[in-house]
């Protein structure tokens, strides 16, 4: 059986879970407290990051973007079903936007919230730094405007088809939403796009999960908000 | 004519320049002081990051990893010449290692050095923070050990063939070497791998460039050290 070592509120884990669901690939999910740096886990991924995918044949895949590329290459023979795109140009645009959320959005928004609210709590490193939280809450507005801008041009972020760009962005947004850190009133267009993304395969599974000590708002796993 | 908007000591720019040279794709290079956030540059890449590739037909590509994937797809019809890899497994491993240097190495080493030594200087933000420089100098040792470990298993980082994993890692190392921040005595294996990487197409062009106010050590652009 295929196994995914993940952590429920890692946006990178969520992205791969949704990708697996889109490809209809069954998978046993195993929660990995990656910050504990378990020996067997480090042997699979010396970067000590989730997610890590272990195929039934024992082959191991790490780095969420490399895993998504792998899944699309290995289980997407028909380019019609590629979640990266069909044409070379479409694929470049999808990857550009996915990278925006994997890197820029992560370091400007998600990382602040997770580090301050969650990982500090689990590592008993004290109270959240209010300056860092404020920075994240201010930075997210510009990113929501960017999502709104992209959805004015197309149905989905990278074009007319749902892609890894949407999966990546929605994974980050869903993590922030767990902590009530998405100002939904800021942009109706973003809310509309996210409601569509939430109704895609895989998101239900992702939104069902809870982590100890933190409870999401009531609308969090409602696909219609 | 194809154009690359780049900055000489951006490891991400270097990676794309070397990729273009490996594919024998001629290109006009234009220095972009990306931190000035030039209006026309932001229109090409709202992330305000270098490099940006503009093809002769006017199409625009941003995000260095998306650009490398694009170049390999568009100009690598023969999988024999792919710089990502031939088999699905080889491609996953190449992408994993490239991501290690694009993300982990960048945030643990390169970014500290560039921010503190170069961008603070250009933005007149004062003296480098010695704590950040010390962190980078300490962190790099573990990454050099990882390179040594990988080259004990294969000729190149991701296998027996030169790939985007080597291009990415060597681009970062070359930037640090510009500022004499690579402790070459730490690992003969790394030195040997880097000497091979430096002799590949594209690296000569990259190592010829200088930035105002900073001069690299004398051995910097010597392919034999």
């Amino acid at each position: 059986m295929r196994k995914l070592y993940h952590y429920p509120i890692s946006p990178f884990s969520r992205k791969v879970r949704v990708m697996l669901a889109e490809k209809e690939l069954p998978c046993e999910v195993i929660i990995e407290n990656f910050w504990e740096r378990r020996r067997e886990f480090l042997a699979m991924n010396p970067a000590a990051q989730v997610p890590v995918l272990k195929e039934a044949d024992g082959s191991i895949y790490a780095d969420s973007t490399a895993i998504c590329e792998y899944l699309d290459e290995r289980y997407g023979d028909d380019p019609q079903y590629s979640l990266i795109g069909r044409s070379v140009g479409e694929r470049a645009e999808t990857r550009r936007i996915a990278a925006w959320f994997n890197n820029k959005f992560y370091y400007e928004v998600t990382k602040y919230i997770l580090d301050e609210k969650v990982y500090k709590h689990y590592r008993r490193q004290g109270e959240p730094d209010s300056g860092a939280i404020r920075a994240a809450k201010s930075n997210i507005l510009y990113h929501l405007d960017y999502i709104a801008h992209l959805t004015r041009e197309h149905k989905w972020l990278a074009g007319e088809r749902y892609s890894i760009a949407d999966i990546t962005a929605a994974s980050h947004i869903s993590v922030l939403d767990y902590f009530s850190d998405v100002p939904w009133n800021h942009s109706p267009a973003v809310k509309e796009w996210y409601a569509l993304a939430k109704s895609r395969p895989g998101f239900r599974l992702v939104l069902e999960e809870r982590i100890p000590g933190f409870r999401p708002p009531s609308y969090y796993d409602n696909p219609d908000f």
Side-chain angles (χ1 to χ4, degrees), chain A residues 14 16 76 134 138 149-150 196 204:
Chain A
R14 290 184 169 204
V16 171
R134 260 202 313 278
S138 160
H149 163 76
L150 292 170
L196 284 177
R204 183 182 300 260

Side-chain angles (χ1 to χ4, degrees), chain A residues 166-211:
Chain A
D166 302 285
I167 296 175
T168 307
S171 294
H172 281 268
I173 296 287
S174 73
V175 167
L176 299 169
D177 202 29
Y178 192 103
F179 302 99
S180 309
D181 280 325
V182 183
W184 288 115
N185 292 333
H186 184 74
S187 165
V190 175
K191 202 168 167 178
E192 209 174 298
W193 160 82
Y194 184 61
L196 284 177
K198 274 212 277 195
S199 66
R200 295 290 308 195
F203 266 99
R204 183 182 300 260
L205 290 169
V206 154
L207 299 178
E208 265 171 12
E209 288 188 306
R210 298 292 177 267
I211 56 164

Side-chain angles (χ1 to χ4, degrees), chain A residues 4-155:
Chain A
L4 185 73
Y5 297 83
H6 83 132
Y7 192 71
I9 51 140
S10 152
F12 307 105
S13 290
R14 290 184 169 204
K15 180 174 71 169
V16 171
R17 283 199 75 182
V18 173
M19 186 83 179
L20 287 163
E22 284 282 342
K23 299 273 178 196
E24 298 176 15
L25 298 169
C27 186
E28 181 190 343
V29 295
I30 297 157
I31 292 183
E32 180 69 41
N33 295 336
F34 57 93
W35 60 89
E36 292 172 359
R37 302 177 67 86
R38 192 167 60 87
R39 200 188 174 89
E40 295 79 4
F41 183 65
L42 286 183
M44 289 196 293
N45 184 16
Q49 291 162 341
V50 284
V52 169
L53 181 73
K54 188 173 182 181
E55 287 279 32
D57 67 3
S59 57
I60 289 163
Y61 301 90
D63 179 77
S64 69
T65 299
I67 295 173
C68 289
E69 293 276 354
Y70 160 75
L71 291 173
D72 214 56
E73 282 181 357
R74 175 87 172 70
Y75 302 103
D77 325 36
D78 186 344
Q80 183 63 26
Y81 299 110
S82 170
L83 284 157
I84 297 174
R86 284 170 296 192
S87 71
V88 168
E90 197 178 296
R91 294 168 69 82
E93 178 65 354
T94 303
R95 288 185 177 119
R96 178 186 75 80
I97 297 173
W100 178 295
F101 290 93
N102 279 324
N103 301 317
K104 203 167 161 59
F105 190 92
Y106 176 65
Y107 284 101
E108 290 173 6
V109 186
T110 322
K111 190 174 189 299
Y112 283 128
I113 298 293
L114 290 182
D115 282 355
E116 296 303 324
K117 292 196 175 176
V118 185
Y119 299 128
K120 257 191 180 171
H121 175 76
Y122 287 161
R123 291 170 182 149
R124 301 173 189 281
Q125 289 171 334
E127 290 302 304
D129 171 354
S130 60
I133 305 272
R134 260 202 313 278
K137 282 180 188 268
S138 160
N139 292 343
I140 194 177
L141 301 179
Y142 146 79
H143 290 281
L144 295 180
D145 289 343
Y146 191 51
I147 293 175
H149 163 76
L150 292 170
T151 56
R152 263 195 301 277
E153 298 189 343
H154 323 280
K155 180 176 177 191

